Every structure is written in structure tokens, then in C-alpha cells.
Amino acid sequence: MGSSSLNHTATMADKETMVPDAERRRALIGSAVGSTIEWYDYFLYGTMSSIIFAKQFFPSDNALVSQMLSLATFALAFLIRPIGGVIFSHIGDRIGRKKTLAMTLSMMGLSTVLMGLLPNYAQIGILAPILLTVLRLLQGLALGGEWGGGVLLAVEYSPRKKRGFYGAVPQTGAVLGLALGNIITSLLSASMSEEAFLSWGWRIPFVGSIVLVMVGMWIRNAVGETPSFKKIQASRSSAPIPIKQTLQFHWREVLIAIGAKVVETSTFFLYATFTISYMMDHGFARATILNIVLVCALIAFPCMLFFGHLSDKIGRKKVFIGGSIAFMLWIFPYFWLLDQKSVGAAALAVGVGLGIIWSSYGAMIGTLLAEAFPPDIRYTGMSLGYQIGAALVGGPMPLIATALIAYYSGSYVPVVVFLVLCALVSIVAVGIARDRSGLPLDE
């Protein structure tokens, strides 16, 4: 090995030891807590769209129409997420990750609280669904900017050989936020009458999120700017217009990111949102469904950390593609088990699907995308690809699945075909991507 290689290795080692372990831990905790709160707020809408909003904000003589209108507003926020990604990632690449995350967390929290205070259709008429939709769009803007910054807070602080594990931590915010929302909703359902829950009890999780937002702001305030952004500031090498540079020089990576996102987002909202309404239509009690999703989301937490660690050993692509293939093999048995109308069979279906299989590629998506872009446009590039992918199939997935089942007289086979195609798109995209596991992040 030549002297230049030795010097480069020493330089990389010096860069890693320059960041104290305590600072890395604070960044990791701040990333996880903030991500959990953001996803809690965001998924709470998805849960309530299946339980509350269809009846109270989109009343109709046809229950299916009300349900689809409610799911349409759920999907609509995904269309606005790429715009939020561009706006806030521009700030993140130019001004800093930390300031951007404070903005997105505040916007998400305010939107969620206002949802809990919003009068329903019976009280203010057509204005109710309009205001609900506006608040949902604000949630979409906030999450569009939050996700990339939350991942970078972990990944850009990570040691090189643990980047997969660090990148998996903010991704667990999705399942922890989902679990937290289901815990609160289940406790409220069990502690009050059905009439009270439908009348005012459902509002408590929305209004109460202000406490979580304040905790998240306090924790994140203790974390400094990421090492990668500090280097950009020191070298004065930030991109003048990050979105222009991204589309001009890194469009291929953006397309790969969109493709990679397809399987992760479509299957997550299969488990987290569509499954709730599907099981309710098959006679399952609401509390039973929420408890199943809750337990399976908690199972996913350690599984995601395991797969993040595994990717540091064998590479991101192997873990991601392996999980996508496993999903294609599981999706048909998944629906068959749900149709048995057995609590045990349903728990097995969601447990394997969400708890284990989704965790494999769900843990990878953040690190995989962060490694694909240089630091000066990393926030913009990864946010753009991630949010466009989510807008194309993630948000519309419950609506698409509901429409397919209604059109094909209750058959889930077209939904299975649609999801298998989503998995194939992601396998191709990740297959042609460069695996940068273990390589320097900023060089």
C-alpha cells in the first residue's frame, strides 16, 4: 500500500474520531424522536381516515363513496410532499439541516393540533372537508422536508462502518409513530363508549400531539449541525440552486431513488392503512385491528435495526432486493390469511408482512438514498426521489386497492398483481444502483 493510500486511510480515521460518541448519540436520538413524532402525526390521519373522517367529514348515502373520498384526501398529501421536499431541502442544503428540521416539526405539529379542533360537516358544512384537506396538505409539505433531514441527521453523524444501522434508526420512526398512534387510539376506544369516541374522543390524539412536538423540539435543539454540512460551510461549496444541480447532473440517481421507493411505500400503506379498512369490511373489530397493527409495528422496530446492521456486513442491495423478493412470495398468502377471518391468521399475515419483510427494505431506503448523492445536494436529491416515489404509489395505494377490489367484485387478485409490479420496479432500480456500503460518505 502506497503512502498516499495510508494518508487517505488516516485522514478518514481522523474525521471519524473528530466527532465525539456523545454527540453521535444525541444526533441519533434526535433523529429517531423527531421522526417518530412526525410520522405519528402523519399516520394518525391515515388511521382516522379509515375510522372517523369518512363519516364525519365526507358524509354520503354511499359508504364506499365516503370511504374513497376520505382516502383521496389521504393520498392528496402525497402529491404535495415533493413540493415540500424541494422547498425544505433547498433550505437544508443552503442554510442547514438543523434549522430546516425545526421548521418542519413545527408545521406538522400545528397542522395536527388544528385537525383535532376542526368542526365536522354537520357543524360547518362543506367548509369542514375543505379545511381538513388544507391541513392535510400542510402535513404533506412538512413531511416532504422532514424525512430527508431526519435521515441525514443520523447518516451524516454515523461512523462509516455503521452507516446502515444509523440510517435505519430514523426509519424506525415510521413504525414507532404508527404504533404510538394505535396505542393512543386503542386506549381511548377501550376507555370510553363508542358514541363518546366518535363524538369527541378521536380528537384527543390530535390535540395531544403538541406535547410530543415540544419534547421533540427540546431534544433536537441540543444537536448541532451535521459534520457533512459543516464541511460544506467551511469550504463554501454549497450549491447555489440545489434542485437545478440535482436535475442537471444527478437525474439518474433521482430516477433510481424513485424506483427504489415504490415497493417500500406501496407495501407500508398496504399494512398501515388499507389493511385497517379491509379487515373492518371482513368483520374484524376496530380494537382488534389496531392491536394487531400495533404489535406488528413493534416487532418491526428491532427487525429494522437488525437489517440495518446486516447491511453494514453484506451490503444494502442484497438486503433490499432480498426483502423485495420475499414480499412477492408473501403477498398472495397475506390476503388469503386475512380472508380466513381469524385473528390468529390476520396477526400472522401482518406480523410477517410488516414486522419482518417490510423491515428489510424499509430499514435500507434512507441510507441507500443518502449514499447516492454528494453532500452539497444530498438533502435535495434524496428528498426529491423519495417524495416523488411516495406520491406516485404510496399515498394512492389505499385508494387504488379499494377501487380495484370494488371493480373486481371483492377479488384481491388485482391488488396482488399491482403490488408485485411495484416490487419488480424497485428490484430493477436498486439492481442498477451502485452499492456504496462501507465507502466514505462525502468523498
Side-chain angles (χ1 to χ4, degrees), residues 2-344:
S3 59
S4 60
S5 298
L6 287 170
N7 289 337
H8 177 73
T9 303
T11 301
M12 287 306 306
D14 290 343
K15 286 180 180 178
E16 291 202 356
T17 56
M18 284 170 60
V19 181
D21 288 340
E23 192 173 345
R24 292 189 199 277
R25 285 193 296 269
R26 281 197 301 272
L28 202 57
I29 293 170
S31 172
V33 170
S35 176
T36 299
I37 295 167
E38 292 270 4
W39 284 114
Y40 163 80
D41 286 350
Y42 198 75
F43 289 150
L44 192 58
Y45 188 101
T47 300
M48 294 303 178
S49 68
S50 300
I51 300 172
I52 299 292
F53 294 153
K55 296 176 181 178
Q56 294 205 17
F57 288 85
F58 303 94
S60 168
D61 294 335
N62 188 321
L64 178 61
V65 171
S66 293
Q67 185 66 42
M68 292 189 70
L69 284 172
S70 180
L71 290 174
T73 61
F74 177 79
L76 189 61
F78 285 78
L79 299 179
I80 207 76
R81 275 171 56 173
I83 298 174
V86 170
I87 293 171
F88 288 110
S89 62
H90 176 88
I91 299 171
D93 278 330
R94 293 283 298 163
I95 298 175
R97 319 315 195 198
K98 180 177 177 177
K99 292 178 182 178
T100 307
L101 290 172
M103 295 179 196
T104 57
L105 189 56
S106 300
M107 180 183 288
M108 179 69 83
L110 179 61
S111 303
T112 305
V113 170
L114 290 176
M115 283 180 180
L117 300 174
L118 194 63
N120 61 24
Y121 189 93
Q123 295 168 314
I124 60 172
I126 192 65
L127 195 58
I130 292 174
L131 291 175
L132 182 66
T133 302
V134 169
L135 293 174
R136 180 59 178 169
L137 293 177
L138 289 176
Q139 280 191 329
L141 278 175
L143 190 63
E146 159 68 24
W147 178 81
V151 169
L152 292 185
L153 193 61
V155 170
E156 291 185 341
Y157 262 107
S158 66
R160 180 159 50 101
K161 294 184 179 180
K162 295 182 179 179
R163 201 154 61 225
F165 177 82
Y166 269 62
V169 170
Q171 287 301 104
T172 64
V175 292
L176 292 178
L178 177 64
L180 183 60
N182 280 8
I183 287 173
I184 295 174
T185 305
S186 295
L187 288 175
L188 289 170
S189 294
S191 62
M192 61 178 62
S193 67
E194 181 78 0
E195 182 182 0
F197 179 78
L198 294 177
S199 175
W200 56 270
W202 67 268
R203 298 178 181 274
I204 296 175
F206 287 89
V207 177
S209 71
I210 188 64
V211 177
L212 298 176
V213 170
M214 291 173 67
V215 172
M217 295 287 284
W218 176 68
I219 292 174
R220 279 189 170 175
N221 191 53
V223 181
E225 264 301 347
T226 70
S228 294
F229 188 76
K230 286 179 180 177
K231 286 184 227 172
I232 294 172
Q233 286 181 311
S235 61
R236 301 180 183 275
S237 58
S238 61
I241 308 176
I243 184 65
K244 178 182 177 182
Q245 188 166 330
T246 299
L247 295 176
Q248 185 174 356
F249 299 109
H250 300 280
W251 57 268
R252 181 178 179 274
E253 288 81 2
V254 171
L255 290 177
I256 290 174
I258 293 170
K261 177 63 178 171
V262 167
V263 70
E264 185 270 341
T265 190
S266 61
T267 57
F268 187 87
F269 289 103
L270 163 71
Y271 302 125
T273 303
F274 174 73
T275 293
I276 295 175
S277 58
Y278 187 83
M279 290 178 67
M280 287 180 71
D281 290 342
H282 282 66
F284 287 88
R286 181 178 65 238
T288 300
I289 302 168
L290 293 176
N291 287 336
I292 288 174
V293 175
L294 162 63
V295 171
C296 296
L298 293 176
I299 291 172
F301 175 72
C303 289
M304 293 181 77
L305 298 181
F306 166 76
F307 284 119
H309 173 73
L310 182 64
S311 78
D312 287 322
K313 302 297 182 183
I314 68 172
R316 322 279 182 239
K317 290 176 63 171
K318 290 180 181 177
V319 176
F320 193 104
I321 292 174
S324 300
I325 293 172
F327 167 75
M328 290 193 295
L329 297 175
W330 183 247
I331 185 58
F332 203 98
Y334 175 81
F335 276 104
W336 181 85
L337 286 168
L338 292 184
D339 277 5
Q340 303 312 299
K341 300 182 180 180
S342 159
V343 173

